[in-house]
Amino acid sequence: MENRLRNLDALGIPTEFHKYPGLGHGFGIGTGTVAEGWISEAAAFWEIQIKNQS
């Protein structure tokens, strides 16, 4: 994943990566885990990207 992020960065594509201790890749919203709140952080990132496309 880190290599993929470096490649995207080299192409000028904005990325953000969060690694949560004790968790692998997941598909839920993280309620009750150290990843709780990730969806809000992701939405904020997406909103910035959408605004920057204007």
Side-chain angles (χ1 to χ4, degrees):
M1 185 52 122
E2 290 176 21
N3 190 43
R4 181 178 293 169
L5 293 172
R6 278 192 295 275
N7 290 336
L8 290 169
D9 185 56
L11 294 170
I13 299 169
T15 62
E16 194 168 304
F17 176 76
H18 299 261
K19 185 173 182 178
Y20 297 97
L23 297 179
H25 188 275
F27 294 96
I29 58 172
T31 303
T33 73
V34 294
E36 190 163 344
W38 79 267
I39 194 76
S40 296
E41 294 173 7
F45 175 80
W46 298 327
E47 287 175 3
I48 291 168
Q49 302 317 306
I50 290 168
K51 287 178 185 175
N52 288 341
Q53 294 299 313
S54 302

